[in-house]
Amino acid sequence: MEQQAWGPVSLTVEQDVAVLVIDHPPVNASTAEVRAGLIAGVEAAARDALVTAVAIIGAGGHFVSGSDLREFEGTLPDPQLPEVIAAIERCPKPVTAALAGATLGGGFELALGCDGRIALAGGVIGLPEVTLGMIPGAGGTQRTLRLVAPSRALELATSSERIAVERARDEGIVDEVVLTSLREEAIRFTRALRGKRVLRELPVRTEEPGLLEATARRVIAAGRARPEIVAAVGAVLTGTAVSAPHALAYERAEFNRLRTGRGAAALRHLFFARTAARKANRPAAACDITHIGVVGAGTMGAGIARAFVEAGVEVTLVDQDPAAARRAVEALGGTYLRMVSDRRLAAGEAGKRLERLTAGADLSDLNDVDLAVEAVFEDTEVKAQVLKELENITAPATTLATNTSYLDIDELASSLVDPSRLVGMHFFNPAHRSAVLETVRGARTSKAAMDVAFTAARILRKLPIVAGVCDGFIGNRLYNAYRRQCELMVEEGAAPENVDAALEQFGFAMGPFAVGDMSGLDIAWRMRQRHAPDRDPRERYPEIVDQLCELGRLGQKTGAGWYRYEPGSRTPVPDGRVAELIDNSRQRKGITPRAFTADEIVRRALMALANEAALLLAEGIADRAGDIDLMLTLAYGFPDRVGGITFWARGEDPVVLADEQRSLGEVTGWGFSPGRLALLAEA
């Protein structure tokens, strides 16, 4: 038989084995065209009398990485994946899946629909559907039940764990792992198969009674009873109780129910937004970052140093007090020792990390770094002085970065002889774990400096989100608008604990007052003090938080802030002293307190965010609406199942939003700037 092709799928016959090759770059994602080609190829091989078996393999470095999520909006195009698997199961000849790279989601389900699985070493398999608000929909919860114990099948379906193919082989999910020549080995393996092995026709594996139920309770609790987790549990339990055809039909129905829901659509939106941000914010030119300098050994500076050290980069940490830099290095060493003791880190790796971290004596120790990051006190004069010294010490091509949260980067750059060297790299706390790096592009920041920042983000495995210059950039500007409205609601009658409870119930990781106490109230206080001389007296200003700071109530670190904290505890406890301060403020301003419902609190907070998002887009501070949603969900605890504020707004009635925006302007008073909400709808 000569080579045949159906779109991205081609068929050749090597002696008696038909080889179907999927060539759909970059990762062979499943599309209607790919699926149609697979069905045509399997059926052609079945008709060929000279063919005794079929091997399916991917071109390039992957088998099938998963499904093309763009197809998941609306009605799925035919043929769908269950039809492909049905064609494979109908084929009278054994069919092998030859796995390479990341075989995830629908790709893994396709492999499970085959009679055998051989894999190239170094690859991974997994079922990540729950991260997109769905469950597997083509047998992922059912065919695994025939290979591993039900409790393990449930873990696979709910953990989104990526399993090395070597481990999958040990668990019986993959039949064989080879080191080289996957195509040749797959043909050999396929030729050796003895007939069909249709997984759905095999019995469900047995295990110790009660283990599945205990696992179900555990994963539901860990997943906070998210709908997709509950649905996956239901699908696996159903699979142990009814016939395979009925269980597969149940799984498919649950998959489609969740796929078409708002939560899954929100998560897909964030997935596409992340893809767009990565594509747009990647270095145009290659950069080498092997040694960086960090100035400032406080919490943030030490965290930035740790982030780079753990990414394999040599770091020199300096501080105006050399002893502070030494203490920071010693503290990190203590952290690693505890991790080794707890068996969370190998002793050898801990040693390697510490070898990469040096406490410098002064700024001159940074003369040969590839990148210098200042993380000193949030003060323009202090930062400008450090940056000027760094400019003199480092090579002319060395990028200088500021970790400022609020300050004007263009003003900082103006203190330099070459302002093009300065870029903003705003880390979030804790710097070694946060998922986002807010990369601030100044008016004169060079492409080379941006490339270095993007490269640093890639090394650190953080998502770079570009922001223009304004007070607070994207993240803190959004958060300040949100927090201010929450403080105004407290002034008008809501209790801090009620505001926090309403927003946490909506899905925020923490309420704004608990967050303020955790991060420290003095950070935003310094920002407000900086703006105090320019504040218009007509502006509504909730001064309660300033009074808390003046009383030394800076949050958890001082044992009291908006809440009080028992010694050694981080659990917020409502405090009568705070209630007294709030009541006194209301009396001074002549405010008669009123009750707020949880829905009122949530809607007003969301409208504050939506309005600010529209302003950010109009001013060009944010490049894309999706960047705003990523910033909120990844760095500020906004519920990802809502998809971010711009996605939320697009799902609301525009007339209702316009009314709520007018109300927000009325209650906020002088200085309120209404954003053009249509920008959110156009995103």
Side-chain angles (χ1 to χ4, degrees), residues 192-223:
L193 289 178
R194 295 292 181 262
K196 300 287 288 183
R197 187 184 183 227
V198 178
L199 289 185
R200 69 181 179 87
E201 295 177 355
L202 300 180
V204 172
R205 291 294 182 95
T206 59
E207 66 181 344
E208 180 183 339
L211 185 56
L212 176 58
E213 290 75 11
T215 304
R217 287 192 292 271
R218 175 173 56 79
V219 299
I220 288 175

Side-chain angles (χ1 to χ4, degrees), residues 279-521:
K279 183 177 180 180
N281 302 335
R282 58 189 177 192
C287 307
D288 286 329
I289 301 178
T290 59
H291 182 196
I292 77 150
V294 178
V295 184
T299 300
M300 183 54 72
I304 294 170
R306 178 178 180 180
F308 278 101
V309 160
E310 294 182 359
V313 177
E314 182 182 347
V315 178
T316 301
L317 177 64
V318 299
D319 193 275
Q320 64 177 353
D321 177 9
R326 292 194 297 271
R327 286 194 298 271
V329 172
E330 291 168 0
L332 184 55
T335 297
Y336 288 154
L337 283 175
R338 288 190 294 275
M339 292 174 69
V340 170
S341 177
D342 295 340
R343 297 184 178 180
R344 292 181 290 133
L345 183 67
E349 174 59 23
K352 289 178 183 177
R353 291 179 181 181
L354 288 173
E355 286 175 3
R356 291 193 286 265
L357 180 58
T358 303
D362 54 44
L363 290 179
S364 64
D365 290 329
L366 307 184
N367 65 319
D368 63 347
V369 299
D370 304 309
L371 166 67
V373 182
E374 71 75 16
V376 299
F377 189 71
E378 190 77 352
D379 179 270
T380 298
E381 291 184 8
V382 173
K383 286 183 180 289
Q385 182 58 40
V386 169
L387 290 168
K388 283 192 289 187
E389 292 181 39
L390 285 172
E391 184 180 34
N392 292 330
I393 289 165
T394 57
T398 301
T399 293
L400 309 179
T402 173
N403 180 56
T404 181
S405 303
Y406 292 99
L407 300 181
D408 187 333
I409 287 181
D410 290 334
E411 183 179 352
L412 291 173
S414 68
S415 67
L416 302 176
V417 173
D418 181 3
S420 71
R421 294 173 63 181
L422 184 64
V423 63
M425 288 175 59
H426 177 212
F427 289 80
F428 295 87
N429 199 24
H432 67 289
R433 286 207 301 264
S434 61
V436 170
L437 180 62
E438 191 170 30
T439 308
V440 186
R441 178 180 52 214
R444 299 179 66 181
T445 301
S446 68
K447 291 182 179 179
M450 293 297 291
D451 281 349
V452 169
F454 292 154
T455 300
R458 178 181 54 78
I459 291 171
L460 297 170
R461 296 185 179 180
K462 298 183 186 296
L463 180 70
I465 295 180
V466 173
V469 175
C470 69
D471 195 56
F473 316 123
I474 296 174
N476 279 330
R477 180 165 157 183
L478 284 164
Y479 196 77
N480 287 340
Y482 159 80
R483 180 179 58 201
R484 182 178 182 228
Q485 286 302 325
C486 291
E487 291 172 359
L488 290 177
M489 284 189 278
V490 164
E491 201 175 61
E492 294 164 22
E497 58 268 25
N498 292 340
V499 173
D500 280 354
L503 291 164
E504 288 169 13
Q505 181 63 35
F506 173 73
F508 277 88
M510 295 175 67
F513 300 107
V515 167
D517 278 1
M518 180 183 69
S519 59
L521 300 180

Side-chain angles (χ1 to χ4, degrees), residues 2 14 49 57 146-147 152 159 238 240 263 266 308 369 393 504 565 593 651 660 665 681:
E2 295 182 358
E14 299 200 13
I57 191 169
R146 276 77 184 168
L147 293 172
R152 179 57 175 152
S159 68
T238 298
T240 65
F308 278 101
V369 299
I393 289 165
E504 288 169 13
Y565 300 86
E660 290 181 340

Side-chain angles (χ1 to χ4, degrees), residues 618-634:
E619 296 168 20
I621 302 300
D623 290 343
R624 289 167 295 276
D627 289 353
I628 291 172
D629 292 336
L630 289 168
M631 182 68 74
L632 285 172
T633 54
L634 294 176

